């Protein structure tokens, strides 16, 4: 697909409809609007041609082409530099292919990526590789230990959880890791977030009231019990 053809598709909904339908889109009118808004966000015709060629190649294999195109538009719009993102799609065709698989598979994961488009670079660098429980705990401790404000700590915990959920999901959806790896990673993440919240809560309470002691003078234990599906290790 060349720039002239892309320009014709953007200008003529009826002409675009036949192409969009042929690559698996059900609501061609909405998808055409998505593409026009992507172009309006700053992608020139040459990069729109790159995007459209890759849509032709990869959309037919997705589980929900309409959902993929709609989320792609939202992702481009949320990006700091849509032009730079288009350049990435041109340099690395796998970048858009992976996004389309995520965008057509899970709305929740799509929303997480759209909320933080810059996180996609980190996601691709980590490749969804499993992380040891101890490493996760060290990382989240490092993020919250600098904060004394509860709202800042809660925000850090939420950011950490979103980032790691995306990593785990990438390993599941894109790298097709074994089920036992994915479930263990989810358990490790739950452990890390709970341990971090526990550490913060104890630190704040000890600053206010001192270290709690047992009857023999030893430091009192303070634990969280995880039951059922939330139980980790």
């Amino acid at each position: 697909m060349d720039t002239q053809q892309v320009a014709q598709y953007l200008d003529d909904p009826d002409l675009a409809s036949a192409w969009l339908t042929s690559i698996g889109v059900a609501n061609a009118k909405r998808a055409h609007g998505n593409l026009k808004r992507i172009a309006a966000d700053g992608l020139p015709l040459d990069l729109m041609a790159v995007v459209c060629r890759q849509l032709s190649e990869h959309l037919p294999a997705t589980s929900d082409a309409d959902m993929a195109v709609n989320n792609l538009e939202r992702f481009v719009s949320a990006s700091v530099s849509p032009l730079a993102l288009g350049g990435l799609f041109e340099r690395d065709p796998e970048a858009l292919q992976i996004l389309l698989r995520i965008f057509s598979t899970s709305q929740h994961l799509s929303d997480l990526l759209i909320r933080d488009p810059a996180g996609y670079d980190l996601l691709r660098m980590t490749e969804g590789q499993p992380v040891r429980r101890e490493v996760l705990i060290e990382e989240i401790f490092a993020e919250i230990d600098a904060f004394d404000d509860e709202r800042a700590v809660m925000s850090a915990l939420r950011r950490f959880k979103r980032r790691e959920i995306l990593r785990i999901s990438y390993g599941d959806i894109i790298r097709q890791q074994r089920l036992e790896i994915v479930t263990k990673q989810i358990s490790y993440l739950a452990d890390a977030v709970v341990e971090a919240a526990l550490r913060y809560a104890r630190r704040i309470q000890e600053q206010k009231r001192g270290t709690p002691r047992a009857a023999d003078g030893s430091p009192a234990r303070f634990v969280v019990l995880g039951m059922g599906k939330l139980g980790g290790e």
Side-chain angles (χ1 to χ4, degrees):
M1 187 178 300
D2 57 28
T3 55
Q4 182 178 0
Q5 191 173 14
V6 170
Q8 291 174 336
Y9 283 158
L10 292 175
D11 291 337
D12 189 337
D14 294 330
L15 185 63
S17 179
W19 165 61
L20 289 166
T21 301
S22 73
I23 59 175
V25 173
N27 190 338
K29 181 178 180 181
R30 186 178 74 169
H32 180 255
N34 293 140
L35 292 177
K36 284 181 69 69
R37 285 187 288 274
I38 289 174
D41 280 333
L43 263 68
L45 282 179
D46 60 332
L47 291 180
M48 283 300 299
V50 170
V51 169
C52 290
R53 281 196 297 269
Q54 293 188 34
L55 290 178
S56 292
E57 182 178 356
H58 302 303
L59 269 190
T62 63
S63 57
D64 191 328
D66 293 69
M67 182 175 162
V69 175
N70 192 55
N71 283 323
L72 176 62
E73 184 230 313
R74 293 176 60 214
F75 184 77
V76 173
S77 178
S79 299
V80 174
S81 174
L83 182 62
L85 183 63
L88 171 65
F89 295 157
E90 183 178 35
R91 294 190 309 274
D92 184 359
E94 189 182 42
L96 181 53
Q97 180 184 8
I98 289 171
L99 278 175
L100 292 175
R101 287 180 63 182
I102 295 173
F103 288 161
S104 66
T105 301
S106 169
Q107 189 58 53
H108 175 63
L109 296 177
S110 300
D111 290 341
L112 291 180
L113 266 178
I114 291 163
R115 182 180 297 180
D116 181 22
Y120 185 48
D121 290 335
L122 177 62
L123 189 60
R124 296 197 66 211
M125 284 191 290
T126 63
E127 285 286 305
Q129 290 299 314
V131 178
R132 290 187 297 112
R133 178 181 181 276
E134 294 77 12
V135 172
L136 283 175
I137 292 172
E138 289 174 4
E139 287 181 357
I140 188 58
F141 281 180
E143 290 196 24
I144 70 165
D145 275 352
F147 299 120
D148 289 320
D149 178 70
E150 182 177 333
R151 287 176 297 181
V153 170
M154 294 301 293
S155 294
L157 289 175
R158 284 192 288 267
R159 285 195 304 272
F160 182 82
K161 180 185 175 184
R162 288 196 298 265
R163 185 185 73 205
E164 295 303 318
I165 284 290
L166 281 170
R167 175 186 60 80
I168 295 167
S169 300
Y170 188 101
D172 179 20
I173 296 169
I174 305 302
R175 298 308 174 206
Q176 299 183 326
Q177 292 170 352
R178 298 194 311 275
L179 178 62
E180 57 267 31
I181 293 177
V182 175
T183 54
K184 182 168 284 191
Q185 286 294 296
I186 293 172
S187 179
Y188 286 172
L189 174 58
D191 281 354
V193 172
V194 170
E195 287 206 29
L198 178 67
R199 174 167 167 158
Y200 169 76
R202 178 156 193 154
R203 172 162 59 89
I204 294 302
Q205 292 306 312
E206 288 186 351
Q207 288 173 0
K208 293 178 179 178
R209 298 177 173 84
T211 302
R213 302 285 177 181
D216 62 0
S218 60
R221 296 186 67 197
F222 179 27
V223 301
V224 173
L225 298 179
M227 304 293 187
K229 66 179 182 180
L230 297 182
E233 293 195 349

